[in-house]
Amino acid sequence: MAAPAGTLSPPTLRQILERPDVWRGDALAGTRLPGVPTGFAELDGELPGGGWPRGGLIELLPICDGVGELSLLLPALARVSNDELSWLVCIAPPYSLHAPAWSAGGVDLSRLLVAGASGHDAAWACERSLVAEGVGAVVAWLPDARSTVLRRLQLAAENSRTLLFVFRPALCASQPSPASLRLLLAGEGDQLRVRLLKRRGNACATPVLIAVQRPVPLGHALAGSSTSAPAARRLSQSAVA
Amino acid sequence: MRPGSRLAAAWAVLPNLTVRARDDQREQAVLHRLACWAGTFTSDVCCLPPQTLLLEVAASLRLFGGAAALFERVVNGCAEQGFEPRAALAPTPLAAQWLAAAGDAVPCLHPDELPARLDKLPLAVLPITAPRLSRLHGFGACSLADVLRLPRAGLARRLGADLVADLARARGELPDPRPRFVFPERFAERLEFPAGVENASALGFAGRRLLAVLCGWLTARVAGIRTCVFEFEHEPRADRFPVSVLSLGFAGATRDVDRMAHALLERLPRFELPAAVVAIVLRADTSEALPGRTAGLFGERGTVAGADSLALLAERLQSRLGPGAVHGLAMVAEHRPEKASRRVTPPPPSPGASAIEPTRGARPLWLLAQPRMLREEAGRPHCGGPLRLLTGPERIESGWWDADEPGAVGDVRRDYFIALSVRAEWLWIFRGREGWFLHGMFA
């Protein structure tokens, strides 16, 4: 590497190790910007920067829709929308966003933008949202994105302070990805099991169990499934009658 | 070649000469377009046919960062419009005209330096007929300085009072009021191509020129637009003049040329043209008042950081993804889940507007567009396996008022349950008249 004239001394190893894009394989990487707290201390401890890292693509691979993948993001999204007063952009969501639930989750609806798109248009919309000023987080569903598209988004994210979450099917877990952080999500009881497939720094072998917000605690379920169904039937039949 | 020589004589000298008839009407249209464009710099524009445009810029000097910067912007802007102006800057309109005619582009800023600058000008810049000009030469005058040295009374008697008055006006000794150009009520400007154009980038380039003119017109009128219409005229074919219309819409009133050009450039590649384009017309019928923005005194950023750029983003997304694809969300005080969430056009309403009491029951983040019917086995709903009902029922019975309207959700009677599937999906299901349905997910 050519040193600029005047500073003749080459960089020391220590200086190189202090760079945010260089990290040791036996420890978590440092980050240029502090992460956005996830709202779950167990997860914060395992992420470089102590939270969702800015300036990188975060790839989320839920086993199936509805395991709690959005509840995992909600605390951070609420923080972005309410504390930082910045915008939240959802791109190509697979279902309709139900406003009362998002509002109850702490997201300010007046700073939420939803864009329906498909294929390349969705990736393009991500890239545009990343460079726009005032956008705090982008959440995108890109089930068919190729690795070239993801690489491009990763590069766009590196030049931006915006959080970028991309949801892809769990089948993609075996494929290589340019994302700086990859999480595999599965439900386990009323908790969410998060496996860190990839992060900057040492590998994380054990999955993290996170108590995401659930509509009801499991313990307070209707007393046993055998009695609940007939009860339900009786009630609904009386409703229909 | 000299002006006034006959065409036959010209051909004799230059056999390859291409001759084009002068089209006064088109020249006037171009001058009108440039006058509109000049509104970018000042609202005090004077249009002097056939080829002169006067801009009174004294009030604009500070806004544009000084006379030199402003002058450069005007000249460069003219070049962007496709013209090479002979421009000059002087304290009096006539002096500016004469300096421009002499090709002296160095800005003259002070009335004190004006006489010295005028002295150097050749006699050809004077608006007088050829015989009078030769008479002046006969007096032994070679430059304006020589003319100014002559006794005024004698000059007026020999060459007319007009010349003497003009000399006084140019030097600022007599007032020289000029009629103001009246910016039209509705904007419609046309740009012709020398040949048919099929290339989207060339159309975008021409479109940007017209948008710059539109922005000049809007600036002079202190207005902004929400919509404008591009009409692409095609080559006339069999007595038809086919026209393709492209309408651009903006989230808010604007007169930002870059913003408009972005929207145009996003739309153009996807816009299908049946044939090559020979001319573009840009129309803007309705404009609304849009006051200028006060620049920050301390270099601070706006208090609503990002609100502006978000409108821009929404607009760019919309122009590529389609008008209905980009929306905000708002809550509605309604019990039926389909109606409790409403799409709103971006930018969404201000935070105070959505003061709706949240519902008591848990609501899912995802709502299916249409409830999906679930299988029922042994009295229990199935979704990839038997479902475990966690809470419920929450009865929702509402909507008799729009039961007969087409497309409405209508009267519903449903018992909602929160259910857990074997794959640990948290589902929102209901039992209605027809059986079990999946309606949402607590993702």
Side-chain angles (χ1 to χ4, degrees), chain B residues 180-373:
Chain B
R180 265 195 182 199
F181 173 72
V182 181
F183 289 88
E185 276 301 307
R186 290 180 173 192
F187 184 86
E189 287 292 339
R190 187 162 182 272
L191 195 65
E192 280 178 40
F193 295 115
V197 170
E198 292 173 327
N199 190 344
S201 66
L203 286 179
F205 188 73
R208 198 190 156 91
R209 272 189 187 170
L210 281 179
L211 285 173
V213 176
L214 171 64
C215 289
W217 177 75
L218 287 171
T219 311
R221 293 176 60 97
V222 200
I225 49 153
R226 280 175 193 274
T227 54
C228 63
V229 177
F230 275 99
E231 293 172 6
F232 298 100
E233 296 177 4
H234 305 295
E235 278 155 350
R237 204 187 294 154
D239 302 333
R240 278 188 310 128
F241 293 88
V243 172
S244 311
V245 176
L246 172 66
S247 160
L248 291 184
F250 306 98
T254 181
R255 58 165 174 266
D256 183 349
V257 64
D258 287 327
R259 181 171 168 185
M260 297 184 196
H262 268 313
L264 175 67
L265 290 180
E266 290 295 347
R267 287 285 296 276
L268 264 184
R270 286 145 184 268
F271 186 66
E272 276 187 28
L273 291 164
V277 177
V278 291
I280 307 184
V281 178
L282 175 59
R283 288 182 197 284
D285 284 344
T286 49
S287 60
E288 52 190 277
L290 179 70
R293 236 183 313 174
T294 315
L297 181 57
F298 308 108
E300 75 266 49
R301 287 171 61 188
T303 46
V304 280
D308 226 27
S309 70
L310 237 293
L312 268 180
L313 172 68
E315 220 167 84
R316 288 203 72 180
L317 296 183
Q318 223 156 20
S319 59
R320 173 150 167 180
L321 306 177
V326 182
H327 59 89
L329 274 189
M331 284 199 285
V332 181
E334 249 274 3
H335 291 294
R336 291 173 293 174
E338 289 95 334
K339 292 278 186 176
S341 180
R342 187 168 55 94
R343 293 179 170 201
V344 292
T345 51
S350 55
S354 60
I356 291 173
E357 213 170 290
T359 44
R360 257 204 253 137
R363 290 288 177 266
L365 290 162
W366 287 140
L367 202 69
L368 271 59
Q370 284 290 328
R372 201 172 82 210
M373 192 155 193

Side-chain angles (χ1 to χ4, degrees), chain A residues 71 114 116 121 133 222 233 236, chain B residues 301 309 325 327 376 390 431 443:
Chain A
S71 310
V114 184
D121 284 348
E133 201 187 327
L222 288 179
R233 154 158 282 197
S236 17
Chain B
R301 287 171 61 188
S309 70
H327 59 89
E376 184 178 326
L390 299 178
R431 195 186 160 85

Side-chain angles (χ1 to χ4, degrees), chain B residues 90-112:
Chain B
T92 65
L94 210 48
Q97 268 174 274
W98 291 355
L99 283 173
D104 186 351
V106 182
C108 171
L109 299 178
H110 277 285
D112 302 344

Side-chain angles (χ1 to χ4, degrees), chain A:
Chain A
M1 198 200 295
T7 57
L8 288 172
S9 61
T12 62
L13 187 62
R14 192 189 168 81
Q15 279 170 332
I16 290 176
L17 283 175
E18 275 168 6
R19 288 170 58 111
D21 52 349
V22 175
W23 62 90
R24 284 171 177 270
D26 59 352
L28 269 187
T31 49
R32 195 159 38 92
L33 301 163
V36 177
T38 61
F40 309 102
E42 311 91 317
L43 189 57
D44 283 347
E46 297 293 340
L47 296 177
W52 297 119
R54 295 180 190 270
L57 174 65
I58 302 169
E59 199 180 337
L60 300 157
L61 310 160
I63 294 285
C64 51
D65 289 337
V67 292
E69 67 273 21
L70 283 174
S71 310
L72 178 67
L73 303 187
L74 264 187
L77 298 184
R79 174 183 287 266
V80 162
S81 142
N82 274 321
D83 298 355
E84 297 179 12
L85 297 182
S86 48
W87 283 70
L88 173 62
V89 183
C90 286
I91 292 162
Y95 311 99
S96 308
L97 279 72
H98 194 49
W102 285 78
S103 176
V107 172
D108 187 346
L109 293 182
S110 63
R111 275 190 287 275
L112 175 70
L113 193 69
V114 184
S118 59
H120 264 306
D121 284 348
W124 170 84
C126 281
E127 203 182 1
R128 298 280 21 122
S129 310
L130 282 176
V131 296
E133 201 187 327
V135 177
V138 178
V139 187
W141 283 261
L142 306 173
D144 318 314
R146 301 239 202 105
S147 74
T148 46
V149 170
L150 292 178
R151 171 157 298 282
R152 183 141 185 180
L153 287 181
Q154 164 73 20
L155 288 175
E158 277 173 18
N159 294 323
S160 155
R161 279 177 47 93
T162 307
L163 286 172
L164 172 62
F165 299 101
V166 171
F167 281 101
R168 297 177 74 208
L171 287 175
C172 306
S174 56
Q175 300 165 6
S177 158
S180 60
L181 181 65
R182 300 185 85 196
L183 307 178
L184 187 69
L185 313 176
E188 190 171 299
D190 56 359
Q191 289 184 312
L192 186 70
R193 194 176 66 226
V194 178
R195 256 189 69 202
L196 287 102
L197 297 180
K198 180 180 174 187
R199 65 175 176 184
R200 288 190 168 165
N202 55 346
C204 177
T206 50
V208 187
L209 279 176
I210 294 170
V212 294
Q213 177 76 39
R214 296 296 191 188
V216 278
L218 256 189
H220 289 254
L222 288 179
S225 50
S226 54
T227 59
S228 66
R233 154 158 282 197
R234 201 175 58 243
L235 281 164
S236 17
Q237 275 171 346
S238 67
V240 174

Side-chain angles (χ1 to χ4, degrees), chain B residues 78-94:
Chain B
C78 262
E80 271 170 30
Q81 287 293 320
F83 301 101
E84 246 180 75
R86 279 162 74 179
L89 187 63
T92 65
L94 210 48

